[in-house]
């Protein structure tokens, strides 16, 4: 009888020893995720530990699911209230100074908040005095439901990048080097998107130079004609991005820091073909207006969740610009004249990642 008791006790100790890791993981969701991670070196693993512990403890996000990776190249999905951190990106073999290794988790808005137009208006928009925005003109529920996903296809251009104002520069731009101007920002964005598997057409033409002189009076007219030709040649284009930099008072500096890198803040700009004096502008009709607004709103929500402080408020103006050719069109203001070219280029990686999430069909809302 005594031997039997000893055997039972030893068996229990043995079983507990085998299962204690699983028990720990079961009661500790952070441990659950961390102990399933394989990493190529301890430094990265420690960095991942710190990140998850900070997200869990600092912001009270609960690790609700995980998937054990077979190697560091495989994805480990850790979901924080529908926000995923992908270890495959974090443990990428190829590392450069420009890689943003982590997804930042910021504010995730509830459906009730976002569909409250007054809340949305005060927290998300700057509206030019020539126009106005109301709940009838901005159908939030419809915009949130809009499916903006596309299928990646590197065989033909899917994304068009251009610059209505190609001569826009930054505080340290070299006038003899277009790669230090807004065109260089477009080059950087195109490269990131191509690395993600998209076929990108980057139009670097000058639409604001007439007879060798800066003239922006008809820049949008010239750009619109060029876009029509691009779409006739490449009907596969589904996304159009007009990349600018803003012009602001010199005492305003729109800069943030992500992963230790200074980045120019980004503003999404929408024209709604409506002015307070004239009402709807019939000659600037935009059949894709709702899709334009949905693209900006969903991008803003994704960026708020993954890269807090990257985005400025969305700007609403009264005219159309070059946004009517495709639903997935955005006019993007990257920093301003007093940002550096490095800050502007740095911002293109988190912007590209956010755009990729949008085009993959991801939506962030509670």
């Amino acid at each position: 009888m005594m031997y039997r008791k000893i055997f039972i006790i030893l068996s229990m100790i043995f079983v507990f020893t085998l299962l204690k890791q699983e028990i720990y993981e079961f009661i500790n969701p952070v441990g659950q995720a961390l102990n399933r991670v394989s990493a190529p070196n301890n430094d990265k693993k420690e960095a991942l530990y710190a990140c998850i512990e900070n997200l869990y403890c600092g912001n009270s996000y609960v690790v609700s699911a995980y998937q054990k990776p077979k190697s560091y190249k495989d994805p480990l999905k850790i979901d924080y209230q529908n926000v995923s951190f992908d270890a495959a990106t974090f443990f990428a073999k190829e590392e450069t100074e420009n890689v943003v290794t982590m997804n930042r988790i910021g504010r995730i808005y509830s459906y009730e908040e976002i569909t409250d137009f007054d809340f949305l208006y005060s927290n998300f928009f700057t509206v030019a005095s020539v126009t106005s925005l109301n709940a009838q003109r901005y159908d939030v529920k419809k915009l949130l439901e809009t499916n903006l996903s596309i299928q990646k296809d590197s065989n033909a251009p899917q994304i068009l990048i251009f610059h209505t104002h190609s001569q826009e520069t930054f505080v340290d731009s070299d006038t003899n080097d277009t790669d230090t101007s807004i065109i260089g920002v477009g080059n950087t964005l195109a490269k990131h998107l191509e690395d993600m598997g998209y076929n990108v057409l980057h139009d670097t033409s000058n639409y604001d130079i007439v007879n060798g002189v800066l003239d922006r009076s008809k820049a949008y007219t010239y750009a619109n004609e060029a876009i029509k030709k691009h779409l006739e040649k490449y009907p596969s284009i589904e996304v159009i991005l007009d990349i600018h930099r803003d012009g602001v008072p010199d005492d305003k500096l729109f800069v943030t820091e992500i992963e230790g890198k200074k980045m120019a803040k980004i503003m999404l700009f929408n024209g709604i073909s409506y002015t307070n004096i004239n009402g709807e502008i019939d000659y600037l009709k935009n059949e894709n207006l709702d899709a334009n607004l949905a693209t900006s709103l969903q991008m803003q929500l994704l960026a708020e969740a993954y890269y807090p402080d990257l985005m400025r408020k969305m700007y609403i103006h009264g005219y159309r610009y070059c946004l009517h050719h495709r639903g997935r069109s955005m006019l993007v203001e990257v920093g301003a004249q007093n940002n550096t070219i490095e800050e502007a280029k740095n911002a293109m990686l988190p912007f590209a990642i956010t755009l990729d999430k949008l085009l993959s069909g991801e939506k962030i809302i509670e």
Side-chain angles (χ1 to χ4, degrees):
M1 181 65 72
M2 184 177 67
Y3 290 113
R4 185 179 177 183
K5 288 182 178 180
I6 293 173
F7 175 77
I8 292 172
I9 292 170
L10 290 174
S11 297
M12 291 176 66
I13 293 172
F14 177 72
V15 170
F16 179 78
T17 302
L18 289 177
L19 296 179
K20 69 178 183 178
Q21 190 62 45
E22 279 65 32
I23 293 171
Y24 169 73
E25 291 175 358
F26 178 76
I27 64 174
N28 185 337
V30 175
Q32 183 186 68
L34 296 181
N35 288 301
R36 298 293 185 178
V37 175
S38 60
N41 61 62
N42 287 332
D43 289 342
K44 281 191 170 183
K45 196 167 184 179
E46 288 299 323
L48 178 61
Y49 285 4
C51 171
I52 294 179
E53 287 176 352
N54 177 63
L55 294 175
Y56 177 73
C57 301
N59 296 321
S60 300
Y61 287 103
V62 177
V63 179
S64 59
Y66 71 89
Q67 178 181 348
K68 182 179 179 180
K70 294 178 182 178
S71 74
Y72 73 88
K73 293 184 288 185
D74 295 333
L76 166 71
K77 291 292 187 181
I78 303 170
D79 294 332
Y80 302 87
Q81 297 184 358
N82 299 322
V83 180
S84 296
F85 161 71
D86 190 343
T89 301
F90 184 76
F91 295 137
K93 274 187 172 181
E94 294 183 9
E95 295 188 33
T96 69
E97 290 185 356
N98 290 323
V99 170
V100 175
T101 55
M102 303 291 297
N103 286 330
R104 296 294 184 106
I105 296 183
R107 177 77 182 272
I108 303 174
Y109 293 89
S110 70
Y111 184 78
E112 290 72 22
E113 286 175 319
I114 296 303
T115 54
D116 179 340
F117 181 78
D118 291 335
F119 175 88
L120 191 70
Y121 188 94
S122 61
N123 287 278
F124 281 77
F125 292 110
T126 299
V127 179
S129 59
V130 300
T131 190
S132 57
L133 197 65
N134 55 42
Q136 288 71 42
R137 196 168 295 116
Y138 197 92
D139 187 343
V140 184
K141 293 181 180 179
K142 179 180 179 181
L143 303 184
L144 291 173
E145 292 168 0
T146 302
N147 179 11
L148 298 165
S149 63
I150 67 173
Q151 292 293 322
K152 285 184 185 178
D153 185 357
S154 59
N155 295 317
Q158 289 185 289
I159 299 175
L160 169 64
I161 297 173
F162 74 102
H163 311 274
T164 305
H165 298 158
S166 64
Q167 302 305 299
E168 289 175 335
T169 57
F170 298 89
V171 68
D172 57 347
S173 292
D174 180 349
T175 54
N176 296 314
D177 183 2
T178 58
D179 196 55
T180 67
S181 71
I182 196 64
I183 289 176
V185 178
N187 289 336
T188 301
L189 176 59
K191 178 64 167 60
H192 289 317
L193 291 170
E194 287 166 352
D195 289 344
M196 294 172 184
Y198 297 98
N199 188 317
V200 180
L201 174 62
H202 184 197
D203 179 356
T204 60
S205 304
N206 299 324
Y207 299 113
D208 53 351
I209 293 287
V210 179
N211 297 322
V213 178
L214 181 66
D215 182 355
R216 290 180 175 154
S217 61
K218 293 185 178 180
Y220 285 99
T221 301
Y222 299 143
N224 272 316
E225 292 304 313
I227 292 170
K228 288 178 185 177
K229 293 179 181 178
H230 287 314
L231 296 181
E232 287 172 5
K233 186 175 182 179
Y234 302 110
S236 55
I237 292 172
E238 298 183 74
V239 181
I240 300 178
L241 305 174
D242 186 4
I243 307 298
H244 293 248
R245 65 105 173 108
D246 203 0
V248 300
D250 287 334
D251 60 347
K252 286 189 177 181
L253 180 61
F254 293 109
V255 65
T256 187
E257 188 170 305
I258 299 176
E259 293 289 311
K261 296 181 185 298
K262 287 187 175 181
M263 300 188 181
K265 298 183 74 166
I266 295 170
M267 182 176 73
L268 303 180
F269 186 112
N270 280 108
I272 61 173
S273 299
Y274 177 92
T275 63
N276 297 325
I277 294 176
N278 299 314
E280 303 289 344
I281 306 176
D282 292 335
Y283 67 91
L284 295 179
K285 208 158 192 65
N286 182 0
E287 300 294 341
N288 289 311
L289 177 58
D290 283 345
N292 294 163
L293 296 173
T295 300
S296 294
L297 177 61
Q298 292 187 30
M299 273 289 289
Q300 191 83 11
L301 291 172
L302 283 163
E304 290 277 354
Y306 282 100
Y307 301 105
D309 203 41
L310 176 65
M311 309 297 286
R312 296 163 58 189
K313 288 184 177 182
M314 293 179 284
Y315 195 87
I316 302 292
H317 212 298
Y319 304 104
R320 186 179 63 181
Y321 305 96
C322 296
L323 297 169
H324 58 293
H325 298 282
R326 288 289 187 268
R328 301 174 189 84
S329 294
M330 286 186 283
L331 195 161
V332 184
E333 301 274 7
V334 183
Q337 81 282 356
N338 50 5
N339 284 100
T340 67
I341 182 62
E342 182 180 20
E343 290 167 350
K345 287 184 175 183
N346 284 348
M348 289 300 90
L349 182 54
F351 182 82
I353 292 171
T354 305
L355 179 59
D356 181 48
K357 292 179 183 298
L358 176 83
L359 299 179
S360 299
E362 184 172 346
K363 296 183 181 182
I364 294 293
I365 196 166
E366 286 185 336

